[in-house]
Amino acid sequence: MNELRMYVEHLFEGRVLTKESIELKEEIYGNLVARYEDYIAGGMSEAEALEKTKASFTSIEDVFGESGEAEGSNAEEGAAAAGASEGEAARWNAGATHAALGAAQAPGADSMGSTAETAQMPRPEGAPVPPDGVGGGAGASQTATGAGSAAKKPRKVWPFVLGCVVAVLVLLAIVATAVFGFIRDADVGEPSSTAQTITQGNSSTIDSNQGAENGQGGGNAGGGAIQDYDDLDDQREYEATKQVDEAIAAHSVDTLKNYTGNSLPDQGFFEHLPLSMYVSSTGAEQGSNASCSVHYAGVSDDIDGDAIDRALVYNAVAAFSVYPELQTVNFTVQDADDTAYDANVYSFNRNTLEHAFDNASGGAITQLNSSLYESQESWDQVRDYVTRNHFYDRQTDLAEIED
């Protein structure tokens, strides 16, 4: 449903959407919808099922944060294997350090010498053993039992050097990133209409001659988050796909009502539905098995295949709902780089889609007719079924005609 779709979009806010994360988002959405339907089938109210479904998955950080947990586990195992408690090791090391500092500040003390404090301090079991043989200076003290002196370890220089090297590398990386970004902006220039950043409430790739009425407008369904990819191919794919989904979400029942009463759809009807800019030709055949055909040509390769499937199922459902005599809708989809022989052909049947809605709605929707768009709320419910991944994926599989 739309509310679960918005909830999943909210979970991914602020995260760069790669092809893999888009697939993950769709998988999460499909699983939540399935869980919601199970709750409804179990007798829950819609509100209770929705809240329980949301509570079952509250953050995607659980998906991306497994590596950090593994590191913490390894750290705990390492501490246990050391053989000494953290408190004992800390007290021993602190005493040794204090003694070493005192010796270094005493007049005439040898910087490499040992101190009586360090030698006399009891070392806990498992704590590190000071190295033997480090020279004791003239100021070194011996214990009362005549034991050898505990030498002060020399300061290690390499951590400081390593830190400086890391700092220099980080600085160079920052400078290189800034220079590369400047060069890239200078080379690319003004981005194309399908490569601009989508800002809140506005889709940058909407055709100026197509408004929200004809299915190519609409707001930012993803909550207004700005998406800006370094890779222009990813940027175009994101925006082209989002444009199709926004066309489905923004399509109004008023458009359907305007065509009610006609016997069969014409080209103007499909030019007010999603994918309208690609409508090349249409045709209709009357009779007991009335049908219509729509040819979409030059379809952008940037649009994700799932978005195409969602639009085709939506358009078929809209046609069957407006035209009660229509029994079959045939779609031919030809990509911009494909020949007519490479086009994909889909044939949607009224009975098949009505049976699918009957199953999905639990008998609430058994026929596709004008009653479904008497109100925006009832059509939103139809739209929700259409955009469920297992629904549109199954229906396009059944409709696709293999070569």
Side-chain angles (χ1 to χ4, degrees), residues 301 333-344:
D301 293 328
V333 181
Q334 181 180 348
D335 292 342
D337 296 334
D338 289 342
T339 65
Y341 299 102
D342 298 323
N344 296 319

Side-chain angles (χ1 to χ4, degrees), residues 211-242:
E213 181 181 357
N214 65 13
Q216 294 305 320
N220 190 339
I226 295 176
Q227 297 292 339
D228 192 4
Y229 293 92
D230 292 334
D231 191 320
L232 287 181
D233 290 338
D234 291 340
Q235 183 73 27
R236 286 193 295 268
E237 179 178 347
Y238 169 79
E239 293 186 6
T241 300
K242 184 175 181 65

Side-chain angles (χ1 to χ4, degrees), residues 297-313:
V299 178
S300 172
D301 293 328
D302 294 325
I303 303 176
D304 183 75
D306 286 341
I308 297 291
D309 291 349
R310 288 190 287 270
L312 294 179
V313 175

Side-chain angles (χ1 to χ4, degrees), residues 9-369:
E9 294 286 349
H10 175 72
L11 292 177
F12 279 77
E13 280 186 0
R15 187 174 293 277
V16 176
L17 294 181
T18 62
K19 182 177 181 180
E20 290 75 13
S21 63
I22 289 175
E23 293 176 353
L24 175 62
K25 179 172 67 174
E26 289 302 320
E27 182 177 353
I28 291 174
Y29 172 71
N31 291 338
L32 291 181
V33 168
R35 183 183 294 271
Y36 170 81
E37 292 174 349
D38 289 341
Y39 289 149
I40 292 295
M44 286 189 185
S45 66
E46 293 185 0
E48 183 181 3
L50 182 62
E51 292 303 318
K52 192 168 183 180
T53 301
K54 290 180 179 181
S56 68
F57 192 89
T58 59
S59 173
I60 62 172
E61 298 303 324
D62 295 337
V63 180
F64 293 97
E66 295 178 1
S67 60
E69 295 176 0
E71 293 174 0
S73 174
N74 292 336
E76 292 176 0
E77 294 176 2
S85 69
E86 291 181 3
E88 291 176 341
R91 287 193 298 272
W92 188 84
N93 289 331
T97 303
H98 176 74
L101 289 175
Q105 295 172 357
D110 189 345
S111 61
M112 295 300 291
S114 61
T115 66
E117 287 185 63
T118 305
Q120 293 173 0
M121 179 175 294
R123 179 174 62 85
E125 181 181 355
V129 180
D132 295 330
V134 179
S141 301
Q142 302 294 330
T143 63
T145 59
S149 65
K152 174 183 173 183
K153 298 176 66 175
R155 176 176 295 180
K156 295 182 179 180
V157 179
W158 66 267
F160 174 77
V161 175
L162 180 60
C164 292
V165 172
V166 171
V168 171
L169 291 177
V170 171
L171 180 60
L172 290 176
I174 294 174
V175 173
T177 301
V179 173
F180 175 79
F182 176 80
I183 295 175
R184 184 191 63 188
D185 292 341
D187 291 340
V188 172
E190 186 69 21
S192 64
S193 61
T194 57
Q196 297 174 1
T197 303
I198 296 178
T199 56
Q200 182 174 1
N202 179 50
S203 175
S204 63
T205 58
I206 298 177
D207 182 31
S208 60
N209 295 322
Q210 304 287 341
E213 181 181 357
N214 65 13
Q216 294 305 320
N220 190 339
I226 295 176
Q227 297 292 339
D228 192 4
Y229 293 92
D230 292 334
D231 191 320
L232 287 181
D233 290 338
D234 291 340
Q235 183 73 27
R236 286 193 295 268
E237 179 178 347
Y238 169 79
E239 293 186 6
T241 300
K242 184 175 181 65
Q243 181 182 357
V244 174
D245 286 336
E246 286 180 344
I248 297 173
H251 191 244
S252 172
V253 295
D254 294 335
T255 302
L256 304 179
K257 292 178 181 179
N258 290 337
Y259 285 90
T260 302
N262 296 344
S263 59
L264 289 176
D266 56 12
Q267 184 164 328
F269 174 76
F270 290 100
E271 287 177 347
H272 286 84
L273 295 176
L275 301 178
S276 61
M277 66 177 65
Y278 303 112
V279 175
S280 174
S281 62
T282 62
E285 296 182 5
Q286 297 182 347
S288 59
N289 190 25
S291 64
C292 69
S293 300
V294 183
H295 187 93
Y296 295 105
V299 178
S300 172
D301 293 328
D302 294 325
I303 303 176
D304 183 75
D306 286 341
I308 297 291
D309 291 349
R310 288 190 287 270
L312 294 179
V313 175
Y314 181 86
N315 292 354
V317 171
F320 287 135
S321 299
V322 174
Y323 302 99
E325 297 179 10
L326 189 63
Q327 301 299 316
T328 305
V329 178
N330 300 312
F331 293 126
T332 301
V333 181
Q334 181 180 348
D335 292 342
D337 296 334
D338 289 342
T339 65
Y341 299 102
D342 298 323
N344 296 319
V345 180
Y346 303 84
S347 182
F348 291 92
N349 180 271
R350 172 184 289 274
N351 291 334
T352 302
L353 275 176
E354 288 180 341
H355 180 70
F357 272 99
D358 187 13
N359 289 336
S361 66
I365 300 176
T366 58
Q367 290 185 331
L368 300 177
N369 52 42

